[in-house]
Amino acid sequence: MFRLRNKDAKFPELYPKVDRKDPTTKDKGWDKVGDFTLRDKTDFMPQKGLQEKFCASECNLIFIGGAATSGKTYSMFLKYLNGLGENHIGYTGRIISVRLQDSKKGSSIFRDAVEVCGNFAGCEYNSSDYPTFTWKQWNASLQLIHANFNADNPSEWDEFRDFIKKQQASYIAIDEATEIKQFKMFNYIFSRNRDSSGMTPCM
């Protein structure tokens, strides 16, 4: 137990106070961190409930589910941001969609990635077949990839393993994981969840 030598000294606050006004049909509501009011579509923080619990979790393997519009995809991007910074040089992430078109430019996942990550801390990104978001100052990256393979076909299984073998990452998230029909695919993806940046690997 700590005792202060000077009884008039105050313990520092670990985190600024967060105040929220929940949105309604007539009012967007607001979030304040300390004295700063978050700007709409510019500053992001997890919503109360599912997003907050997911982003705070320190488990290696996390499953989340919920209704459409509950913020699951946004959660994946907000969770990735936890590892960005000078304390975790070389932090990498992969967000996987089963369908190829879902990971490309024009998809809702790409749009959300641009909104959350593309405007964060000088991010640079491209919209190639595998859109990649990079932070050169920390040698960090997040890539949107797909797992559009039929693992029951031996040649596609080999192609899938060869592709995923090169996708080692500190953070791996699968959007609509229920569409991965074979457990061996999920298991192989999980085997790529490794870290060299000082973060706890998370999938």
Side-chain angles (χ1 to χ4, degrees):
M1 182 173 152
F2 288 112
R3 278 219 180 106
L4 294 173
R5 287 185 171 184
N6 178 351
K7 62 180 177 60
D8 297 322
K10 292 182 180 176
F11 277 110
E13 290 185 27
L14 291 179
Y15 301 103
K17 183 180 177 194
V18 176
D19 290 309
R20 299 179 191 253
K21 181 180 180 195
D22 291 334
T24 65
T25 53
K26 295 181 181 178
D27 184 359
K28 284 186 175 181
W30 44 259
D31 295 309
K32 277 187 183 177
V33 179
D35 295 327
F36 181 76
T37 302
L38 272 59
R39 298 162 292 181
D40 192 37
K41 303 291 185 192
T42 302
D43 305 308
F44 297 96
M45 70 182 297
Q47 298 171 13
K48 283 194 289 188
L50 179 140
Q51 282 189 353
E52 209 168 49
K53 289 176 182 174
F54 172 58
C55 289
S57 175
E58 295 180 358
C59 294
N60 295 105
L61 183 59
I62 307 168
F63 293 91
I64 63 170
T69 75
S70 62
K72 300 182 298 295
T73 302
Y74 252 64
S75 296
M76 293 190 304
F77 293 114
L78 292 170
K79 179 76 172 168
Y80 170 78
L81 295 180
N82 281 348
L84 277 184
E86 60 188 17
N87 294 328
H88 303 291
I89 302 298
Y91 177 61
T92 55
R94 297 289 183 273
I95 292 187
I96 302 172
S97 300
V98 174
R99 293 183 299 269
L100 176 62
Q101 65 270 24
D102 287 349
S103 63
K104 291 189 170 190
K105 181 180 180 183
S107 69
S108 60
I109 292 176
F110 178 75
R111 185 191 64 230
D112 290 346
V114 169
E115 196 166 78
V116 178
C117 298
N119 297 313
F120 184 82
C123 176
E124 296 177 12
Y125 63 90
N126 64 52
S127 55
S128 65
D129 273 354
Y130 300 111
T132 305
F133 298 76
T134 57
W135 291 265
K136 290 181 179 176
Q137 68 271 37
W138 303 311
N139 190 30
S141 65
L142 173 67
Q143 192 170 48
L144 309 183
I145 64 173
H146 74 91
N148 191 25
F149 299 90
N150 176 10
D152 291 332
N153 179 326
S155 65
E156 284 199 49
W157 169 244
D158 290 342
E159 190 181 346
F160 165 78
R161 284 195 307 174
D162 190 52
F163 174 66
I164 294 297
K165 189 187 299 178
K166 300 165 186 158
Q167 303 301 331
Q168 177 176 314
S170 310
Y171 173 74
I172 298 174
I174 303 174
D175 191 57
E176 303 291 350
T178 51
E179 293 184 14
I180 293 183
K181 303 303 182 191
Q182 295 93 347
F183 179 72
K184 65 181 180 179
M185 291 178 75
F186 178 88
N187 203 33
Y188 197 75
I189 293 169
F190 188 49
S191 76
R192 303 295 95 197
N193 189 203
R194 305 173 188 169
D195 177 78
S196 60
S197 71
M199 284 291 288
T200 299
C202 177
M203 178 164 157

